[in-house]
Amino acid sequence: MSKVKITGHASGTGILTVTAPNTSTDRTITLPDATGTLLNSDGDGSSLTGISSAISSLTDTTVSASNPTVSTNPSATGHLWVNKTTGDSYIATDVSAGANVWINIGGRGGNISPAYNIDYLVLAGGGGGGGFYYGGGGGAGGYRNSYNSETSGGGGSSETAISTAVGVVYSIQVGAGGGAGSPDSLGVSGGDSVISGTGLTTITSVGGGGGGSTQDGADGGSGGGIANDTDSPGSGTTNQGYAGGTIASGSGSTTGGSGGGGASAAGVVGLGSGGSHAAGAGGAGIASSITGAAITRAGGGGGNSYHGTQGVGGSGGGGSGAKGSPAVQATNATANLGAGGGGACHAATMVAGTGSGGTVILRMPTANYSGNTSGNPTVSTDGSDTIVLFNASGSYIS
């Protein structure tokens, strides 16, 4: 049978002592059938020279002095890549020739994945109509769009899509619609809508301006209308929307207010008493097919009239202005279309319309859609793309 032999060193004078533990149980130590050197209990592992080569010899593992790239094509998902220079480690989660995804499993971030584009429509909340006695229409929310060469508001061109990769957090803010103006007061301007995220120049659409009553219309994504020819309509924001309408010079009357600006046109001029009290309509909005079907959004609110032509809301959800005789109430803007509310008329019972909240819409290839959202957006598909529609604030992680 095999024997155990302890051989002393020919020139050493120290005594090696093997000390038994404090135990009453028999123990058996089985030595490996191999030649080697025992590792000290306080060693640093530097003598374990075979471990690196053992790992690199595994068929699903690579040890390298650099990181993998999207063009590093492993044989299958689950492949482990160890960067021995930095200590970072990656797992392949999507294997596609030249477009691989590597997730950093060390908790230090820096995932590696091919870029893909996210198109967007960012629409702010619309402004409320001006308060009684007489009010101009509220302006539509600012309108910015990158999808399929469609235009942005205010005559702006289609914008550049977001270029992203795996793991980027995009915060979504959706602007609320502005409230109706109180007596002799501006309508409340709408809230801004925003997309922000690491590496992204923040995309902000400005809330629509409130309609004027006894003062200028408010500036905004699109500007608010007015009710007096001595006042000035609100201005729109460049490449987002148009100004509110003016009132015909010399009409002097507050009984034919102007419309709020829309995404594709300025508010229509109000004619006042010099023009039979005819009110101006809200400026028209813009149609987009980013969700698949063409939907028009961001219409301006109509101005008030005493007993002439009522200022109708602009296409894209704008509310209509009030009419005094016969009495017709102003209407609120259509929900989630970022449109302006209608202006009020001459009596306390003839209140202005409210603006409507905006929306943020993201469109991306379904193959890249992560499914990681917050804020309960509506998710749908159109062809090979996924659409994520936010009517309230939330987030998307690419």
Side-chain angles (χ1 to χ4, degrees), residues 103-198:
I103 301 300
N104 191 316
I105 60 175
R108 302 192 337 158
N111 299 328
I112 298 168
S113 61
Y116 67 93
N117 286 342
I118 300 177
D119 277 304
Y120 59 83
L121 192 158
V122 180
L123 174 60
F132 73 91
Y133 290 86
Y134 303 104
Y143 185 104
R144 298 180 64 176
N145 186 12
S146 74
Y147 176 65
N148 197 32
S149 299
E150 295 176 348
T151 60
S152 293
S157 300
S158 186
E159 300 193 2
T160 302
I162 298 168
S163 179
T164 190
V166 172
V168 180
V169 179
Y170 294 100
S171 296
I172 308 297
Q173 173 184 310
V174 177
S182 56
D184 296 327
S185 297
L186 274 167
V188 179
S189 294
D192 296 350
S193 290
V194 181
I195 303 177
S196 59
T198 302

Side-chain angles (χ1 to χ4, degrees), residues 276-290:
S276 301
H277 309 277
I286 295 178
S288 171
S289 298
I290 190 170

Side-chain angles (χ1 to χ4, degrees), residues 41-398:
S41 63
D42 60 350
D44 61 5
S46 60
S47 62
L48 301 178
T49 56
I51 285 192
S52 178
S53 60
I55 291 177
S56 61
S57 67
L58 297 175
T59 57
D60 288 331
T61 302
T62 299
V63 177
S64 172
S66 60
N67 290 338
T69 69
V70 295
S71 299
T72 303
N73 300 317
S75 58
T77 58
H79 189 98
L80 172 65
W81 184 289
V82 179
N83 184 331
K84 64 183 180 181
T85 303
T86 65
D88 286 316
S89 296
Y90 299 85
I91 290 289
T93 60
D94 188 347
V95 176
S96 300
N100 302 283
V101 176
W102 297 87
I103 301 300
N104 191 316
I105 60 175
R108 302 192 337 158
N111 299 328
I112 298 168
S113 61
Y116 67 93
N117 286 342
I118 300 177
D119 277 304
Y120 59 83
L121 192 158
V122 180
L123 174 60
F132 73 91
Y133 290 86
Y134 303 104
Y143 185 104
R144 298 180 64 176
N145 186 12
S146 74
Y147 176 65
N148 197 32
S149 299
E150 295 176 348
T151 60
S152 293
S157 300
S158 186
E159 300 193 2
T160 302
I162 298 168
S163 179
T164 190
V166 172
V168 180
V169 179
Y170 294 100
S171 296
I172 308 297
Q173 173 184 310
V174 177
S182 56
D184 296 327
S185 297
L186 274 167
V188 179
S189 294
D192 296 350
S193 290
V194 181
I195 303 177
S196 59
T198 302
L200 173 68
T201 299
T202 300
I203 301 165
T204 301
S205 289
V206 179
S213 177
T214 57
Q215 62 285 106
D216 295 343
D219 299 337
S222 288
I226 53 175
N228 194 314
D229 69 350
T230 60
D231 299 324
S232 298
S235 298
T237 300
T238 302
N239 297 327
Q240 295 193 26
Y242 285 92
T246 61
I247 289 182
S249 177
S251 66
S253 174
T254 58
T255 59
S258 68
S264 72
V268 176
V269 173
L271 299 181
S273 60
S276 301
H277 309 277
I286 295 178
S288 171
S289 298
I290 190 170
T291 59
I295 297 175
T296 303
R297 302 174 175 87
N304 87 93
S305 171
Y306 179 60
H307 56 70
T309 305
Q310 184 183 17
V312 298
S315 62
S320 295
K323 181 177 178 180
S325 178
V328 179
Q329 286 283 9
T331 59
N332 299 330
T334 304
N336 306 126
L337 294 183
C345 199
H346 70 291
T349 56
M350 306 297 287
V351 297
T354 60
S356 60
T359 189
V360 173
I361 303 170
L362 307 178
R363 181 174 177 132
M364 68 207 75
T366 298
N368 297 117
Y369 173 58
S370 71
N372 197 339
T373 66
S374 69
N376 297 315
T378 299
V379 179
S380 60
T381 58
D382 180 42
S384 61
D385 288 346
T386 291
I387 299 99
V388 187
L389 185 152
F390 292 86
N391 287 330
S393 298
S395 67
Y396 172 68
I397 304 177
S398 61

